[in-house]
Amino acid sequence: MFGGRSIQVARVFGVRIGVDVSWFFVFFLVIYLMSQNYRQIFPGQETKAFVLAVVSAILFFLSILLHELGHALTAKRLGIGIASIDLWLFGGIAKMERDTRSAGEEFKVAAAGPAVTLIIAAVCFGVASLISGVDAAARGTALEDSGVSGTVAVLGWLALVNISLLLFNLIPGFPLDGGRIARAIAWWRTGDRTKATRFAARLGRGFSLLMIVAGLLIAFVLGDLFGGIWLVVIGFFLGSAARQSEHQNEVQSRIEGIRVSDVMDAEPVAISTELSLDRAFDEFFLRYGWPWFPVVDHEGRLKGVVAADSVESVPEQVRPTRTVASVMAADSGGSGLRVDFHEPLEALLGREGLQRLGAIMAVDAEGVLRGVVTADQVRQALRPVGP
Ligand SMILES: [Zn+2]
């Protein structure tokens, strides 16, 4: 959903704040639209309109950032690490290092962002009212050209935009905040996170369809082309995010509770480090026809992997005098070739050995080879069950 890396603009409470290139589009669009607007409120004051528009865009950016910080800092308080906050075309996203572990946690993290947005809207409206009365503040919110000051106009717009953000975020479709709140409630009621996520993601797909249909109506029936298309695009992104979350959820639920030891071949064929290369060639490579074998010492501890190429590169007449240990790719733990056989299957995903060799050696705490997991076995375990 988020192509490419964002540009880091700040670090707040140790959290990396980044902006995606698409975000600049929104930033300049806000400046453009708001200068038009302020020009109507303050006729003939081009510079003032432009300055107010820039201030508005910056405060809008800060509003979204504070919303995301609300999620992030709540997560942090619950012991969930925050990788980064990224702002892009449709707002912000706080990337958590792990999923929440209970419905209560999920609810607190999900609700914190909208709560911050509500507070910002209330503060903006409150300050505008203090400056020039509730009536003027309301006129600022309505973006009317009826003699409000620049500050009140900006605060009024900010209150309005934050209320809109709040309403949008509370749409109960995952992965929007409202959808996460819906997931938390379903999770709390059923005690089943997988089912709750599936339910909330389906709501997300439903609302995405509604937005697309409403957007098309707004664009082609009501004639607001820009607003309509914008809604269609947002609906489209919500739908694809919901589908993606649903898919991740299914994969996660399938592999939950599965350990490396459940899928590995528990009787791996391994070669001893001390075996001579001629015997290794005849008794293993010729006999089994496999491209490589794990290599173990006399206590069965994994020492490395030996490939057919490496044996074949040694001239035939010297093979009886050389051992497997002399040509193997040694492994003492850091090369990504091994995994503890008690680990969850999830730990295997993205392992280097799985991509390079097509397999990973499963070892116990003493480093003894207990099995081999191939990429095929992992794929098999991830495959959906049923017809
Ligand atoms: Zn949020």
Side-chain angles (χ1 to χ4, degrees), residues 39-40 43 77 94-95 100 103 105 112 126 155 162 185 191 202 226 232 256 289-290 314 316 337 356 382:
R39 233 178 274 160
Q40 278 174 19
R77 251 209 332 266
K95 281 187 193 125
T100 49
E105 271 188 17
L155 287 173
N162 274 288
I185 294 169
R202 281 184 187 157
F226 182 79
V232 168
E256 227 160 27
W290 297 347
V314 176
E316 227 169 294
L337 273 182
R356 196 152 45 89
L382 296 183

Side-chain angles (χ1 to χ4, degrees), residues 326-349:
S326 69
V327 297
M328 72 181 185
D331 173 70
S332 49
S335 64
L337 273 182
R338 63 172 73 196
V339 66
D340 189 293
F341 78 132
H342 285 310
E343 286 221 46
L345 190 60
E346 249 178 301
L348 281 182
L349 304 177

Side-chain angles (χ1 to χ4, degrees), residues 358-373:
I360 279 207
M361 315 307 131
V363 297
D364 63 17
E366 272 72 55
V368 173
L369 180 70
R370 302 297 293 265
V372 171
V373 195

Side-chain angles (χ1 to χ4, degrees), residues 64 67-68 71 92-94 109-110 112-114 117 169 175-178 180:
I64 292 175
H67 172 107
E68 295 306 327
H71 291 303
I93 182 157
V109 175
T117 299
N169 274 302
L176 292 175
D177 294 337
R180 297 195 60 176

Side-chain angles (χ1 to χ4, degrees), residues 88-145:
W88 71 304
L89 194 52
F90 299 114
I93 182 157
K95 281 187 193 125
M96 301 195 296
E97 277 160 7
R98 66 164 173 85
D99 216 345
T100 49
R101 292 205 174 120
S102 70
E105 271 188 17
E106 175 73 7
F107 182 83
K108 283 179 201 154
V109 175
V116 170
T117 299
L118 180 63
I119 293 169
I120 297 171
V123 167
C124 289
F125 192 80
V127 172
S129 307
L130 283 179
I131 294 174
S132 52
V134 179
D135 273 5
R139 285 205 304 278
T141 314
L143 305 175
E144 280 171 8
D145 46 340

Side-chain angles (χ1 to χ4, degrees), residues 204-328:
R205 282 165 52 183
F207 277 101
S208 114
L209 262 180
L210 275 180
M211 279 183 206
I212 292 170
V213 172
L216 290 174
L217 288 176
I218 290 170
F220 298 110
V221 178
L222 300 182
D224 178 3
L225 202 62
F226 182 79
I229 298 290
W230 190 246
L231 196 58
V232 168
V233 173
I234 292 178
F236 172 77
F237 273 99
L238 173 62
S240 85
R243 263 191 303 279
Q244 203 179 332
S245 312
E246 208 176 345
H247 176 72
Q248 265 168 14
N249 183 49
E250 299 308 322
V251 170
Q252 210 177 346
S253 76
R254 268 203 298 283
I255 66 173
E256 227 160 27
I258 303 183
R259 309 210 159 265
V260 171
S261 53
D262 297 328
V263 295
M264 71 184 186
D265 169 10
E267 284 166 5
V269 179
I271 308 184
S272 156
T273 44
E274 273 136 56
L275 197 70
S276 63
L277 291 181
D278 60 326
R279 286 186 56 197
F281 193 72
D282 292 341
E283 293 167 26
F284 290 89
F285 288 99
L286 278 185
R287 184 167 158 212
Y288 293 95
W290 297 347
W292 56 267
F293 288 88
V295 180
V296 296
D297 65 10
H298 57 274
E299 279 164 326
R301 283 190 298 248
L302 180 68
K303 288 293 158 188
V305 167
V306 65
D309 303 351
S310 317
V311 178
E312 278 163 1
S313 70
V314 176
E316 227 169 294
Q317 55 276 27
V318 295
R319 283 184 200 164
T321 63
R322 306 226 358 222
T323 62
V324 167
S326 69
V327 297
M328 72 181 185

